[in-house]
Amino acid sequence: MTDEHTGVVDDDGRGGANDGDGGANDVRSGANIGADRVNDGHDNKDDADAEYADLLGFDETPDGGYDERDEKPGGKSEAGNTTIGAGDGAGRGDGAGRDDFAIRRPNGTRPKPLVVALIAVFAAGLVFAGWAVTRSILDARARDHATALADCRAARARYTETLTGYTPTARKAATLLKDTASVAGSDTRDRLQAQLDSLTDADVAGPAKRDCATDLSRSDLDDLGDRYATATSMMNDGLISIRYDVTMLQQMKDGLNAQDVRKRLSGLVTRGELAYSRSAGKADETLRATLRGAIDAAKQTLADTPSDQTDAVAARVQPLAEAADAVIAGMPLDCHFADCVALTFDDGPNKEVTPQVLDALKKAGVPATFFLQGQFVNGSNVKLVKRMAAEGHSVGSMSWRHTQMHAMPADQLAKWFKDTDAVIAEASGKPVTLFRPPDGAWSDALRDQAKANGQAMILWGVDSGDWGKLDSAQIEKRVLDNAYAGSIIALHDGNAATATALPKIIDGLKQKGYHIVTVDTLLAGDIQPGSVAYGLNDVQ
């Protein structure tokens, strides 16, 4: 039961009857303990302890200490907590007198509210101070980054303005250098070239690809700003000398213009005459008549115009160039006006390797010229010769077998030509008009015999070296490195390495812009029986 005055619960359910007698048979004998403490003169202190404990919300424990009170509605204490005794309020613990008051938490420490409060205030101060310092550092960094960003963008603006003026000046300088390439010993030209090379090597245009982005670090912004500043300074310094040298070189070019224009028109007259003569029966006559008129007008102007005047001469350049181009475009491919090479194969046919060579040529869609040994044109090889002719290849002779003929008696020469020509012509269905002397060795007697048989002697300007021990990669490299417009390339269709290299040789020549043609096409109109040809424009 609960006493209406004290609110203390008796463990047996019986409330204390009197305020001075205490609970009978209580294990703690609170009244006796209280009396002992009074007798010891500690009652004032104990009362103060109890009041202080009660004020703080603590209950006394059996061992004389105090624990926090866990109160529930209605003033009841949590089960298991010791309550303060009724009556005189002296029934505490085990009756042992204590001369001090100790409120113990579960860990045995005594709470000190003021100290705790001070510590809390101090800790809060530290947190605030740390936040303030951190915020200050972050603000400083943000200001530094903003400054670096602004500086970088200002440097870029100056750089862009300078680059805008530098770029067209540099382009004009490069054009002038190209136009005056034929001028030798010019200090102005050499100095201008060196200045442009220096600025190009320094990559002054490189920073234009960068930008002062906000996500760059301050260090990166500083570095980029320095690059802008350095490039700007170099361009400004370079522009001073470049502009001066450009002016000087332009004056030099203007002085040469009169000579250059006359030279160009004279060259066009030569080209036009060649196109006119080679287009007979091959191009539209109206186009040819226009070309003829342009040629005659140009000749007349060159003859009538003083050498220091350019306008009248320059006015004839474009009409003549266009008239010649129109005639050339209306003709079949003419290697005098296009870059051509001729692939030639010696010492065949070979029944095993020659088919591979023919397959590669067919796949690539290009023709070649074969110089055959008469002794091999028999049996199944006859079909190979027929295939050569049928697929658009030229078929020539290399005599009966690979033996040098320049010292051969006249009667033997005549027989070898006759026998070889007979078997080749029968197999190909066409007369033999091309002859290649074995090893390229020839004499006037051999030349005369070729002429007598209606044949031009065809040698070469590029030796593939496939007659030796080169592998396919070496053969390919040797051909591609040495080929030139108008060249005749010597190969052997009995060499397996050559057959392997051929597709890459063809691709490489095409990539260089060459038209691959037969010897007949390459030298069309330039050879006749008895001629000795090493290449286009190299005919004896």
Side-chain angles (χ1 to χ4, degrees):
M1 296 180 62
T2 303
D3 188 284
E4 63 182 357
H5 300 290
T6 64
V8 177
V9 179
D10 187 276
D11 290 340
D12 294 331
R14 300 184 298 274
N18 300 314
D19 59 349
D21 294 335
N25 298 323
D26 186 282
V27 294
R28 291 172 295 180
S29 301
N32 292 333
I33 294 170
D36 288 342
R37 292 194 175 191
V38 169
N39 292 335
D40 290 339
H42 298 300
D43 52 331
N44 292 333
K45 181 177 183 298
D46 291 340
D47 289 343
D49 288 348
E51 291 175 0
Y52 183 53
D54 187 66
L55 178 63
L56 296 178
F58 285 79
D59 289 336
E60 187 177 9
T61 61
D63 60 354
Y66 289 86
D67 280 338
E68 290 180 354
R69 179 185 304 126
D70 185 11
E71 292 187 347
K72 294 188 176 180
K76 293 184 180 181
S77 300
E78 178 71 12
N81 286 351
T82 305
T83 63
I84 300 174
D88 60 4
R92 304 174 188 143
D94 57 4
R98 294 184 301 148
D99 56 2
D100 62 343
F101 170 69
I103 298 174
R104 293 191 300 272
R105 288 186 172 279
N107 61 2
T109 61
R110 184 192 299 270
K112 300 184 187 304
L114 181 57
V115 174
V116 171
L118 290 173
I119 292 173
V121 172
F122 180 72
L126 288 177
V127 171
F128 178 77
W131 175 85
V133 171
T134 301
R135 182 55 183 266
S136 177
I137 293 173
L138 292 176
D139 287 346
R141 289 181 177 176
R143 287 193 298 272
D144 290 345
H145 185 273
T147 299
L149 181 61
D151 291 344
C152 181
R153 287 176 174 173
R156 177 176 173 78
R158 291 189 293 271
Y159 167 82
T160 302
E161 182 179 0
T162 303
L163 183 65
T164 301
Y166 167 80
T167 301
T169 302
R171 287 176 178 168
K172 182 178 181 180
T175 301
L176 274 172
L177 288 169
K178 182 178 180 181
D179 292 343
T180 58
S182 60
V183 178
S186 170
D187 292 339
T188 299
R189 190 177 184 283
D190 293 344
R191 184 172 57 248
L192 180 58
Q193 184 69 69
Q195 184 66 61
L196 284 182
D197 290 345
S198 176
L199 290 170
T200 300
D201 292 343
D203 192 24
V204 294
K209 302 174 184 177
R210 301 286 306 279
D211 196 8
C212 302
T214 55
D215 59 351
L216 291 179
S217 68
R218 189 185 75 175
S219 176
D220 289 342
L221 288 170
D222 289 341
D223 291 343
L224 184 54
D226 289 343
R227 284 196 65 190
Y228 286 135
T230 299
T232 300
S233 178
M234 292 184 68
M235 286 188 290
N236 282 328
D237 292 343
L239 278 171
I240 297 173
S241 61
I242 289 174
R243 284 169 176 160
Y244 174 80
D245 289 337
V246 163
T247 300
M248 297 298 293
L249 196 60
Q250 183 66 53
Q251 294 175 356
M252 184 184 302
K253 178 186 175 184
D254 292 342
L256 296 173
N257 269 347
Q259 299 177 32
D260 291 342
V261 172
R262 294 183 69 87
K263 182 177 179 181
R264 172 155 175 71
L265 185 59
S266 296
L268 285 173
V269 168
T270 300
R271 183 171 182 265
E273 292 279 20
L274 181 63
Y276 185 79
S277 65
R278 294 184 67 83
S279 63
K282 301 177 182 177
D284 182 80
E285 288 301 320
T286 301
L287 294 177
R288 295 184 73 243
T290 300
L291 175 57
R292 183 73 264 167
I295 293 170
D296 293 342
K299 286 182 174 181
Q300 189 65 46
T301 299
L302 287 170
D304 296 344
T305 305
S307 61
D308 60 346
Q309 295 183 16
T310 62
D311 291 346
V313 177
R316 296 295 183 189
V317 170
Q318 185 173 348
L320 179 53
E322 291 178 350
D325 288 343
V327 169
I328 292 168
M331 297 167 56
L333 176 67
D334 190 314
C335 292
H336 284 275
F337 308 108
D339 292 339
C340 303
V341 296
L343 296 175
T344 64
F345 295 90
D346 296 351
D347 293 333
N350 180 295
K351 64 182 179 181
E352 294 180 355
V353 183
T354 300
Q356 299 175 34
V357 171
L358 290 171
D359 289 344
L361 293 169
K362 183 177 182 179
K363 183 176 181 180
V366 298
T369 302
F370 291 86
F371 293 100
L372 311 180
Q373 291 186 36
Q375 63 174 335
F376 296 143
V377 182
N378 56 63
S380 61
N381 283 345
V382 172
K383 293 183 179 179
L384 288 177
V385 179
K386 291 183 180 295
R387 179 184 173 184
M388 291 174 187
E391 293 181 356
H393 306 296
S394 293
V395 181
S397 165
M398 201 164 184
S399 79
W400 189 254
R401 62 175 180 264
H402 193 115
T403 299
Q404 291 188 5
M405 306 169 67
H406 61 285
M408 192 175 286
D411 58 343
Q412 188 177 1
L413 281 177
K415 178 174 175 50
W416 278 37
F417 267 89
K418 180 181 177 181
D419 293 347
T420 304
D421 294 348
V423 295
I424 292 176
E426 183 178 357
S428 67
K430 298 179 180 180
V432 178
T433 60
L434 304 175
F435 168 70
R436 172 165 286 173
D439 298 329
W442 62 279
S443 63
D444 288 339
L446 183 58
R447 182 177 186 177
D448 290 341
Q449 186 62 58
K451 182 178 181 179
N453 283 69
Q455 299 167 17
M457 291 201 301
I458 309 300
L459 285 87
W460 58 88
V462 177
D463 182 359
S464 68
D466 66 346
W467 46 266
K469 297 182 179 180
L470 300 182
D471 60 26
S472 61
Q474 293 171 317
I475 295 170
E476 173 196 347
K477 185 177 187 305
R478 185 159 172 167
V479 170
L480 296 181
D481 285 351
N482 292 285
Y484 57 90
S487 61
I488 297 174
I489 301 169
L491 298 152
H492 292 79
D493 58 311
N495 188 335
T498 299
T500 301
L502 186 56
K504 291 185 178 180
I505 290 174
I506 294 171
D507 288 342
L509 292 172
K510 287 182 175 180
Q511 288 176 12
K512 288 175 177 270
Y514 294 126
H515 297 275
I516 300 176
V517 298
T518 63
V519 168
D520 300 272
T521 299
L522 180 71
L523 304 177
D526 295 342
I527 56 174
Q528 56 189 351
S531 297
V532 179
Y534 290 88
L536 184 65
N537 298 322
D538 190 2
V539 178
Q540 301 176 15

